[in-house]
DNA sequence: AATGAATGAGCATTCATTCAT
DNA sequence: TATGAATGAATGCTCATTCAT
C-alpha cells in the first residue's frame, strides 16, 4: 500500500524505463520525432535530461522502444482473431469490430499508425519489423478466415478474398479522420462502423 | 537553343518559385517538415539559402506553398467526377479507378497524404483547408453519385451510401503500403484494384 | 510650379542624395547604426536598396553623410555667436538660449548628439571631426566671450571662465531627458531655461 | 591554493552568471547592443555560446542584467547623499564631488549612461526603471538639500533650486568628453571640477 | 541512479553588398 | 539611373549528447 507513496530505489529503477517510454510517447505523438526534445520528455516525469540517457542511449533508441511498446494492442489482436467463434460471417464481423476497438479506443494504436507513416523514411527497419511481427500475421489470419468462409460456402469466391487489407481499410480511414482533425470535424462513428460491416458482408456474401 | 543554357533574368525569376517548391517537395517528402534543412532545398537547385528567402518568408510558408501545389491532383478530380457518364455502377467504378490513378501514378498525391498525416498537429489550418477545398467536395460528389444510383435502382439503399470514405478507403490503404515500404514489399496492384471494385460493387448492388 | 509634380531626370538625380540622407537620418535615429537596414532607408523614399548604393558606397559612408548633414545647426551657431551684441551678460544669455533653440527645437541636433555618443567607438574619426569643426570652435568663442566679459568687469575672474562646457552643460542635460524619455516624463522646459540662465549669471557675476 | 586553478562544479556555477555579465558589459560597451555577438561574450570567459544561454534566455535579457548590475554605483549614491553633514554649502559640494567620483572613477557608471542614451529606443522600460530607481531618487534628495539650504539662509531662493539636474549637469558633460574621446582629447579634470563647484556655489549663494 | 553544466554542431533567418539588366 | 535577384557571411538560438559530481 505504501508502495504508491514511497518506492524503494530498486522499485523506482524498475519503473523508470516505462515512465520514460510513456512520457516519450506523448511527446512524439504531439511533435513527431524530429521536433521532440529529450528535455521535454524528461520534464514530463520530473527528471532531467541526463536521466533519460541513463536508460536509452539515443533519442532514436527511445523512439524505437516507444514503437515496440505501443505495438502491444496489435499483438493482442492475433490470439483474439484465432479464437473467434461462430459462423464465418460472425467471425469476420467480430474481427472488423476489433479493429475499431483497437484503433478508436486505444489512442496508442492510432498514434502508432501515425508514427509509422510519418517516420517511415527515417526508420525503415522499424516499419518492416512492425509489419513482420504484427500486420502481416494479422492479414494472414484474416485471409485464412475468409478462405475458410469461402470453403464453407458463406462467402463467394471472389478476388476480394485475396486482400484482407481491403476488408479492413475503412477502419484505417476512420483512424485518419481522428488523427487529422482531432475532434474538429466529428464523424458518426457508430454509423460508420455499421456501414462498413454492412457493405463488406454484402460484398462478400455468397449469391 | 541557348535558352536552355542561359535564361534571362526575367525568365529565371519567373521559374524560381516553382523550382524552389519542387525542390522543397522532395526534401519535405524525404525528411518531414522539422528535419528538412532550407539549405538542402536551395542546394537542390544550385542556389544558396538566401535565395529561398527571397521568395518565401519562412520555412512554414514554403511548406504551405508545397502543400497547395501538390493538392493539384485532387483539384482535378472534382470536374472529372462531375463529368463521368454511364450507368451509376460504371460511374462509381470510374471514380474508384480515378483514385488509384491519382494516388498510385502521381507520387505527389501520395506524399501529400503523408504530409497531412505527419504534420497535422503543426499545421491544423492547412489540414482543414485541404479538407475544405478538396476532400470534402470530392466526398460530397461521391455521395451524391451513390444517392442517384440508389434512386435509379442500381444500388440498394443501405447505410453504406452515407459514407464515401468507406467506398474509397482501400485506395488509401494501398497508398500506405507504397508510402511505408516504398518498393520493399510489392503488392499486386492491378489485382488489388479489381478486388476493391468487385467487393464494393457487390456490396452496393441492389437485390 | 510643375516642378513639384514632375521633375526632370536631372532634377531627380540632384535631389536623390538629399532624400536618401533624410530617410537615413530617420532610420538611424530610430534604430542606431547597427540595427538600421539599408532596405528600410530605401523604402522610406520609395526606391530599392540598389539605388542607395548608387549614391553611397557603404552604410558607413551614408552614416557619415548623415552626420555631416545634421551638423548644420551647429555650424550656424558660430556666426551667430560672433555676431551677438549688447553687454557681455546679454551676449552670454543669448548664447545659452541659442543652445536651447538648436537642441530643443531642432530634433536633428538632438539626434546628432545621440549619434555621437552611441557610435563613438565605431566612428572615432567622425567624432573627432565633429569636435574639430563645430564643438571646439563654439567652445573657443564662448570662452573668448567670457574672457572679454571679465576684462570688461562684468564677470568675475574665476575658474569658471576656463570652461565653456560648464556654462552650457544644462542644455545638454535637457537634451537627454528628451532623448531618453521622448515625452514620457515631461519637464517644464521654460522654467528650466530660466533657472539655467539665472544660476550661471549669478555664478559669473562680478562681486 | 589549487582552488584558483580548479574550482568545483558548484563554485564554477555560482560564479558563471557574474562572469558572463562582466564579459557582456565589456562587449556591449565596445559595440553597443546590436553589434555585440553573444559568441564574443562567451569567448571572453573561455566558454561557448551555448553556455551563455544556460544562464540568460536571450541577448536582451543579458543586456538588462548588465544594466541592473552596473546601476550599483548609482544606488550607492543615495545613502551617501542622505548622510552628508556640514553646512548646506559643504553638503552640496560633497554631493557634486560624489558625482565625479562615481562617473569618472568607475567606468561602469560612465558606460551605463551611454547604454541608456544609445539603447533608449530599444529598451524604454529599462530606461524608465533606471530613472525610477536611481536618477529620480537622487534628484529628489538633491532638491531637498537645496531647499533646506534656502530655508537655512545659505542659498538664495531662486529658480535654480527647482532643478537638481542643472546643478549636476557639468559632471555629465565631463563624462561625455571621456566617453566620446576616450583619452584622445584630455581635459584638466581637477580644474574642471573646481570650476563647476565654484560657479554653482556662487550662483546659489545668498546675497 | 541522477544531475545539470557544458558543449558543439546545427539551423532558420537576416542583411550589406554586388551586378546583370 | 534604377532595379531587385542573388549571394554569403553572419548571428541568435537550439538541442542531443557527454561527463564530472
Amino acid at each position: 500500500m505504501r508502495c504508491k507513496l514511497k518506492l524503494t530505489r530498486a522499485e523506482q529503477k524498475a519503473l523508470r524505463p516505462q515512465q520514460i517510454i510513456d512520457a516519450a510517447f506523448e511527446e512524439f505523438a504531439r511533435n513527431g520525432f524530429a521536433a521532440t526534445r529529450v528535455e521535454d520528455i524528461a520534464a514530463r516525469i520530473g527528471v532531467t535530461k541526463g536521466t533519460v540517457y541513463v536508460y536509452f542511449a539515443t533519442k532514436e533508441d527511445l523512439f524505437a522502444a516507444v514503437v515496440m511498446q505501443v505495438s502491444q494492442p496489435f499483438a493482442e489482436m492475433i490470439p483474439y482473431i484465432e479464437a473467434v467463434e461462430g459462423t464465418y460471417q460472425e467471425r469476420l464481423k467480430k474481427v472488423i469490430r476489433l479493429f475499431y476497438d483497437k484503433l478508436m479506443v486505444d489512442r496508442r494504436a492510432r498514434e502508432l499508425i501515425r508514427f509509422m507513416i510519418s517516420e517511415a523514411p527515417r526508420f525503415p527497419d522499424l516499419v518492416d519489423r512492425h509489419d513482420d511481427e504484427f500486420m502481416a500475421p494479422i492479414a494472414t489470419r484474416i485471409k485464412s478466415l475468409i478462405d475458410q468462409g469461402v470453403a464453407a460456402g458463406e462467402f463467394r469466391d471472389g478476388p476480394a478474398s485475396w486482400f484482407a487489407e481491403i476488408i479492413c481499410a475503412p477502419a484505417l480511414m476512420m483512424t485518419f479522420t481522428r488523427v487529422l482533425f482531432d475532434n474538429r470535424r466529428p464523424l458518426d462513428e457508430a454509423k460508420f462502423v455499421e456501414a462498413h460491416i454492412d457493405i463488406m458482408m454484402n460484398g462478400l456474401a455468397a449469391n
Side-chain angles (χ1 to χ4, degrees), chain A:
Chain A
M1 293 310 103
R2 116 197 186 296
C3 68
K4 279 255 173 85
L5 301 169
K6 217 183 213 175
L7 298 170
T8 67
R9 212 169 275 189
E11 286 166 331
Q12 268 288 10
K13 182 187 166 179
L15 255 37
R16 271 285 133 82
Q18 188 55 49
Q19 286 184 307
I20 293 170
I21 287 172
D22 290 344
F25 167 78
E26 295 298 335
E27 292 296 321
F28 287 136
R30 186 191 308 279
N31 313 305
F33 177 79
T36 289
R37 293 146 31 96
V38 173
E39 192 160 17
D40 289 342
I41 295 170
R44 255 181 195 272
I45 54 171
V47 299
T48 60
K49 266 187 307 204
T51 305
V52 174
Y53 283 92
V54 171
Y55 297 94
F56 300 92
T58 65
K59 194 169 84 160
E60 298 208 351
D61 286 357
L62 176 53
F63 184 75
V66 168
V67 167
M68 280 303 112
Q69 158 85 21
V70 296
S71 293
Q72 207 45 43
F74 292 94
E76 292 162 2
M77 292 177 76
I78 296 173
Y80 180 96
I81 295 172
E82 289 176 338
V84 280
E85 297 189 338
T87 66
Y88 291 105
Q89 289 231 17
E90 286 165 355
R91 293 188 199 187
L92 191 54
K93 283 185 191 179
K94 282 179 186 161
V95 169
I96 290 172
R97 286 189 203 283
L98 176 66
F99 269 93
Y100 288 98
D101 278 356
K102 293 298 175 189
L103 288 170
M104 302 318 288
V105 174
D106 190 338
R107 183 171 143 251
R108 303 195 153 221
R110 281 201 300 281
E111 295 296 348
L112 173 61
I113 301 282
R114 198 150 73 92
F115 287 162
M116 290 288 124
I117 291 168
S118 304
E119 315 296 349
R122 192 194 287 258
F123 297 95
D125 293 351
L126 222 50
V127 171
D128 287 355
R129 185 170 164 192
H130 182 255
D131 190 59
D132 290 342
E133 293 190 18
F134 307 109
M135 301 321 291
I138 289 170
T140 301
R141 277 157 185 78
I142 293 173
K143 262 177 251 181
S144 142
L145 197 160
I146 296 169
D147 287 342
Q148 291 174 273
V150 171
E154 286 189 43
F155 300 142
R156 69 193 172 86
D157 187 10
S161 69
W162 304 323
F163 298 98
E165 291 84 353
I166 291 172
I167 310 296
C168 310
L172 198 74
M173 192 62 140
M174 194 200 274
T175 304
F176 288 125
T177 68
R178 268 280 188 88
V179 159
L180 286 179
F181 305 115
D182 208 350
N183 279 315
R184 295 198 302 282
R185 308 193 171 195
L187 189 68
D188 185 334
E189 299 188 350
K191 245 183 208 164
F192 189 100
V193 174
E194 294 318 310
H196 175 186
I197 289 173
D198 180 89
I199 196 167
M200 291 300 164
M201 289 305 129
N202 271 280
L204 285 171
N207 287 65

